[in-house]
Amino acid sequence: MNVVAFRRKPLQGAWSETELATLADTINIGRRGEEWETGITENGDAQLYLLGPLPERACTLCISRVDGRYILEDGTGRLLFEHGSLPLVAAHARTALRGTRWWLVARIVMVWCTIRHTIHDEIEPLMIEGEELLVHFAPQLAAFV
């Protein structure tokens, strides 16, 4: 007897209950107060969108299932991770959601350095030059300084 191995048809369409349960348990969907939606691409592949706060409800993360592989993208469509294991992709999604906003920290540090630089280079010389100008133009008031 000859056995012919057929390729299994990849999963298409909506998410299964086990996939949604895996995503919900790993990412804590619903417990974070975030909303989520499911969808289907033009080719019939399943997608899950994590949405931001109202009123914009912008997409913060997107998980897609394409030909049995799971793809994690951020809200701008940049590929973050791709793998055949949904729990691994969900773990990366949890890490992406929990990430520190380093761009905000960097901006705060830059503003602080700019303020210090401005005070050091602009305001302190005016304070010193102010005394010299006072002595030069009003020597009688210099005794009070």
Side-chain angles (χ1 to χ4, degrees):
M1 173 169 100
N2 291 337
V3 177
V4 177
F6 292 102
R7 285 185 51 203
R8 287 183 57 188
K9 185 178 179 183
L11 296 172
Q12 284 191 328
W15 293 98
S16 69
E17 293 296 323
T18 56
E19 289 174 324
L20 286 176
T22 301
L23 290 170
D25 291 341
T26 307
I27 303 175
N28 295 329
I29 297 174
R31 291 184 213 106
R32 298 169 156 254
E34 297 169 334
E35 294 188 36
W36 57 279
E37 290 287 332
T38 59
I40 297 177
T41 65
E42 297 85 14
N43 296 330
D45 299 314
Q47 289 188 314
L48 179 118
Y49 306 100
L50 293 175
L51 305 174
L54 291 174
E56 294 88 19
R57 291 187 58 190
C59 178
T60 56
L61 281 179
C62 175
I63 301 173
S64 304
R65 183 184 63 222
V66 178
D67 294 332
R69 293 188 62 82
Y70 298 97
I71 300 168
L72 174 66
E73 298 173 336
D74 65 359
T76 60
R78 188 181 67 196
L79 178 67
L80 298 177
F81 190 69
E82 178 181 350
H83 201 270
S85 170
L86 181 60
L88 187 59
V89 172
H92 279 273
R94 182 183 62 219
T95 304
L97 286 173
R98 187 179 41 189
T100 305
R101 300 202 178 359
W102 288 109
W103 59 268
L104 182 61
V105 174
R107 285 188 179 183
I108 290 171
V109 168
M110 288 300 296
V111 167
W112 175 252
C113 290
T114 303
I115 290 171
R116 285 187 50 107
H117 178 73
T118 302
I119 289 173
H120 184 265
D121 287 352
E122 302 293 330
I123 296 175
E124 282 183 5
L126 288 177
M127 303 273 289
I128 294 171
E129 290 175 6
E131 291 176 6
E132 293 175 2
L133 286 173
L134 184 65
V135 170
H136 183 70
F137 289 110
Q140 61 274 23
L141 294 177
F144 296 113
V145 177

